[in-house]
Amino acid sequence: MTTSGEEDKLVQNARTMEFQQLDLNSNVTFPSTKYDFPEELNVKITKKPIVVCDPSAIGVCTLGMVCLMICMSSFGATSTSVILQAPWIIVLSGFLMLIAGIVDAFRRNIFGAVVFVMYATFWLAIGGAQFATHFGSEDDVEGGAQHSGAAVFGYIIFNFSCILVSLSLNKILFYIMVAIEFVLIFLTLELLEGTASWPTGLFLLITSLLSFYYCFANVINHLAGGELIWLGKPIFLWSSLVHKK
């Protein structure tokens, strides 16, 4: 047992001593000299990492839902009113993809963060343009289609880089990126040249089905702790080029 005066002296020594190591990802360690601290002073300072789930299933699932909705409109199965599509586009593939991208950024998943945030802004812009053209004049409608076509062409270039990166992930994700590339190509032609909408709708349907499959497989594989549902191995590992150097 220690007296009150001895405890005060020990506390003062603990405050003034220098730590041998201060690493926020591990326990703080004291110098090798042993001190007879009271039990209540032997407190370990630790930092527990924040664990969040993989948001890719959410982001890809919202892509599948919006692609399915738009493709049904392209085939004439549902209403072609853009003002009715806009809320779904903005909420599902806009806000939810943005949340998925932010979560992936916290998880330090650079590919997921870039892809989800970029396509979240894409769908938010598409939804906003649909609102603007609905309430605008005929000139606004024509000008809006041209601006949207130019922006979609830029996404063709961006998505091509995503295709190259997805070679190192899995085959299903690679197929989704390829299908999106064809969607963007035919959508650009539709907006700028006024071509038929059915090719865009066809590849939207393919993108939707692949996205739903990826979402289902991703969730089941996480629950199973392994690849129970086939996603495919990486086609090419870019890291192999680094190791060769």
Side-chain angles (χ1 to χ4, degrees):
M1 295 293 294
T2 59
T3 64
S4 178
E6 290 176 342
E7 289 183 0
D8 293 341
K9 186 176 180 180
L10 290 173
V11 171
Q12 185 65 28
N13 290 336
R15 290 176 178 175
T16 56
M17 71 167 54
E18 294 182 355
F19 292 121
Q20 202 175 44
Q21 177 184 3
L22 180 57
D23 185 0
L24 293 180
N25 293 321
S26 61
N27 295 340
V28 174
T29 59
F30 290 94
S32 57
T33 304
K34 295 183 178 180
Y35 295 91
D36 185 19
F37 289 120
E39 185 177 352
E40 60 269 17
L41 295 180
N42 295 328
V43 179
K44 293 182 178 180
I45 302 175
T46 60
K47 179 183 178 182
K48 296 182 179 179
I50 300 175
V51 180
V52 293
C53 69
D54 181 6
S56 59
I58 298 174
V60 176
C61 183
T62 60
L63 173 67
M65 295 184 69
V66 169
C67 287
L68 181 63
M69 180 192 67
I70 299 176
C71 85
M72 292 181 67
S73 177
S74 299
F75 291 143
T78 58
S79 173
T80 57
S81 174
V82 294
I83 197 64
L84 297 179
Q85 295 176 3
W88 293 93
I89 291 174
I90 292 174
V91 174
L92 281 178
S93 282
F95 290 144
L96 287 183
M97 268 196 183
L98 184 60
I99 293 173
I102 294 173
V103 173
D104 256 342
F106 279 106
R107 297 177 71 248
R108 297 182 180 180
N109 180 5
I110 182 65
F111 179 75
V114 171
V115 171
F116 284 139
V117 171
M118 287 298 296
Y119 276 108
T121 57
F122 173 83
W123 290 112
L124 288 172
I126 291 293
Q130 288 179 335
F131 272 115
T133 55
H134 179 78
F135 294 105
S137 61
E138 293 183 1
D139 293 336
D140 293 333
V141 174
E142 182 178 356
Q146 293 175 351
H147 285 296
S148 297
V152 174
F153 180 77
Y155 271 87
I156 292 176
I157 302 173
F158 166 73
N159 191 78
F160 182 74
S161 66
C162 295
I163 292 175
L164 297 179
V165 176
S166 64
L167 290 171
S168 296
L169 300 176
N170 58 68
K171 288 185 175 65
I172 295 298
L173 196 56
F174 171 76
Y175 297 154
I176 291 175
M177 288 299 166
V178 172
I180 292 175
E181 186 76 1
F182 282 102
V183 169
L184 296 173
I185 291 173
F186 286 115
L187 183 58
T188 301
L189 294 175
E190 182 182 343
L191 292 171
L192 296 180
E193 301 296 332
T195 58
S197 62
W198 70 264
T200 306
L202 175 62
F203 282 99
L204 281 170
L205 178 60
I206 295 173
T207 303
S208 176
L209 295 177
L210 288 172
S211 298
F212 285 132
Y213 176 87
Y214 177 86
C215 175
F216 173 74
N218 185 280
V219 173
I220 293 296
N221 290 343
H222 273 78
L223 292 176
E227 189 172 330
L228 185 63
I229 306 297
W230 182 84
L231 286 174
K233 295 181 179 180
I235 299 173
F236 174 77
L237 295 176
W238 292 101
S239 58
S240 61
L241 298 179
V242 178
H243 295 319
K244 288 181 180 180
K245 293 182 179 180

